[in-house]
Amino acid sequence: MRPALAHILYIDDDDGMRRLASRALGRKGYEVSLAASGGEGVDMAKVTAFDLVAVDHYMPGQDGLATLEALRALRDCPPVVYVTGSEESRIAVAALKSGADDYVVKSVGEDFFDLLA
Protein backbone atom coordinates (compact mmCIF):
# COMPACT_ATOMS: atom_id res chain seq x y z
CA MET A 1 0.00 0.00 0.00
CA ARG A 2 1.40 3.39 -1.03
CA PRO A 3 1.62 5.98 1.80
CA ALA A 4 -0.54 9.08 1.50
CA LEU A 5 1.12 12.13 0.00
CA ALA A 6 1.84 15.05 2.31
CA HIS A 7 -0.67 17.80 1.54
CA ILE A 8 0.76 21.33 1.39
CA LEU A 9 -1.19 24.58 1.25
CA TYR A 10 0.82 27.31 -0.51
CA ILE A 11 -0.53 30.85 0.08
CA ASP A 12 0.85 33.58 -2.20
CA ASP A 13 -0.76 36.45 -4.11
CA ASP A 14 1.67 35.98 -7.01
CA ASP A 15 0.00 33.71 -9.59
CA GLY A 16 3.31 32.75 -11.21
CA MET A 17 4.87 31.70 -7.88
CA ARG A 18 1.78 29.64 -7.03
CA ARG A 19 2.06 27.80 -10.35
CA LEU A 20 5.81 27.24 -9.90
CA ALA A 21 5.27 25.99 -6.33
CA SER A 22 2.53 23.62 -7.46
CA ARG A 23 4.69 22.13 -10.22
CA ALA A 24 7.93 21.93 -8.24
CA LEU A 25 6.37 20.47 -5.10
CA GLY A 26 4.17 18.15 -7.16
CA ARG A 27 7.28 16.75 -8.86
CA LYS A 28 8.69 16.07 -5.40
CA GLY A 29 5.64 13.95 -4.60
CA TYR A 30 3.50 16.40 -2.62
CA GLU A 31 -0.17 17.12 -3.06
CA VAL A 32 -0.44 20.91 -3.34
CA SER A 33 -3.39 23.23 -2.81
CA LEU A 34 -3.10 26.91 -3.66
CA ALA A 35 -4.59 30.07 -2.18
CA ALA A 36 -4.28 33.55 -3.71
CA SER A 37 -4.73 35.45 -0.44
CA GLY A 38 -4.32 35.06 3.28
CA GLY A 39 -8.07 35.05 3.86
CA GLU A 40 -8.62 32.37 1.23
CA GLY A 41 -5.85 30.25 2.73
CA VAL A 42 -7.22 30.51 6.26
CA ASP A 43 -10.69 29.56 5.00
CA MET A 44 -9.22 26.51 3.25
CA ALA A 45 -7.31 25.50 6.39
CA LYS A 46 -10.56 25.63 8.38
CA VAL A 47 -12.11 22.85 6.29
CA THR A 48 -9.15 20.81 5.02
CA ALA A 49 -6.41 19.07 6.98
CA PHE A 50 -3.02 20.10 5.62
CA ASP A 51 0.32 18.65 6.66
CA LEU A 52 2.05 21.99 6.11
CA VAL A 53 1.11 25.55 5.21
CA ALA A 54 3.53 27.90 3.44
CA VAL A 55 2.62 31.59 3.79
CA ASP A 56 4.09 34.45 1.76
CA HIS A 57 4.91 37.66 3.65
CA TYR A 58 4.06 40.38 1.15
CA MET A 59 0.38 40.14 0.21
CA PRO A 60 -2.13 42.97 -0.18
CA GLY A 61 -4.90 43.22 2.36
CA GLN A 62 -4.03 40.50 4.84
CA ASP A 63 -0.24 40.14 4.90
CA GLY A 64 1.67 37.04 5.94
CA LEU A 65 1.94 37.95 9.63
CA ALA A 66 -1.83 38.50 9.90
CA THR A 67 -2.40 35.24 8.02
CA LEU A 68 -0.01 33.42 10.35
CA GLU A 69 -1.89 34.79 13.36
CA ALA A 70 -5.23 33.62 11.91
CA LEU A 71 -3.81 30.18 11.13
CA ARG A 72 -2.36 29.82 14.65
CA ALA A 73 -5.82 30.58 16.06
CA LEU A 74 -7.22 27.47 14.35
CA ARG A 75 -7.82 24.46 16.55
CA ASP A 76 -5.52 22.07 14.67
CA CYS A 77 -3.04 24.37 12.97
CA PRO A 78 -0.45 22.46 10.94
CA PRO A 79 3.20 23.53 10.88
CA VAL A 80 3.65 26.85 9.09
CA VAL A 81 6.65 27.80 6.97
CA TYR A 82 6.95 31.54 6.44
CA VAL A 83 8.02 32.60 2.95
CA THR A 84 9.52 35.98 2.22
CA GLY A 85 11.17 37.48 -0.82
CA SER A 86 13.09 39.73 1.50
CA GLU A 87 16.38 38.77 3.08
CA GLU A 88 15.69 41.15 5.96
CA SER A 89 16.25 39.16 9.11
CA ARG A 90 13.69 41.24 11.03
CA ILE A 91 10.88 39.71 8.96
CA ALA A 92 12.05 36.16 9.68
CA VAL A 93 12.43 36.95 13.38
CA ALA A 94 8.95 38.50 13.52
CA ALA A 95 7.48 35.42 11.82
CA LEU A 96 9.25 33.00 14.16
CA LYS A 97 8.16 35.03 17.20
CA SER A 98 4.60 34.97 15.85
CA GLY A 99 4.58 31.17 15.72
CA ALA A 100 6.04 30.16 12.36
CA ASP A 101 7.82 26.81 12.56
CA ASP A 102 10.44 27.83 9.99
CA TYR A 103 11.04 30.30 7.18
CA VAL A 104 12.59 30.33 3.72
CA VAL A 105 13.66 33.18 1.46
CA LYS A 106 11.67 33.05 -1.78
CA SER A 107 13.39 32.87 -5.14
CA VAL A 108 12.46 31.45 -8.53
CA GLY A 109 15.28 28.90 -8.44
CA GLU A 110 15.02 25.25 -7.45
CA ASP A 111 16.89 26.00 -4.20
CA PHE A 112 13.77 27.69 -2.85
CA PHE A 113 11.55 24.71 -3.61
CA ASP A 114 14.15 22.27 -2.24
CA LEU A 115 14.21 24.20 1.02
CA LEU A 116 10.42 24.46 1.11
CA ALA A 117 10.08 20.72 0.56
Side-chain angles (χ1 to χ4, degrees):
M1 179 179 213
R2 186 176 169 176
L5 299 175
H7 192 179
I8 297 174
L9 172 59
Y10 186 83
I11 305 171
D12 194 322
D13 65 307
D14 184 310
D15 185 52
M17 283 304 293
R18 286 194 314 273
R19 283 194 312 264
L20 284 172
S22 180
R23 281 190 220 126
L25 294 170
R27 281 193 306 267
K28 294 180 183 306
Y30 297 100
E31 179 181 354
V32 182
S33 292
L34 304 172
S37 69
E40 180 184 0
V42 171
D43 288 345
M44 291 172 69
K46 288 178 181 177
V47 297
T48 303
F50 294 101
D51 298 300
L52 179 91
V53 177
V55 179
D56 183 37
H57 175 69
Y58 292 108
M59 294 186 289
Q62 182 174 320
D63 71 4
L65 289 174
T67 301
L68 174 60
E69 181 179 346
L71 288 166
R72 284 291 174 215
L74 298 178
R75 189 176 136 164
D76 293 318
C77 180
V80 177
V81 174
Y82 205 77
V83 177
T84 179
S86 172
E87 293 189 29
E88 294 179 51
S89 60
R90 67 176 179 76
I91 293 172
V93 169
L96 292 170
K97 284 184 175 181
S98 297
D101 294 282
D102 204 350
Y103 77 95
V104 295
V105 176
K106 179 171 45 173
S107 68
V108 294
E110 279 299 311
D111 290 349
F112 165 65
F113 298 110
D114 289 341
L115 287 171
L116 189 56

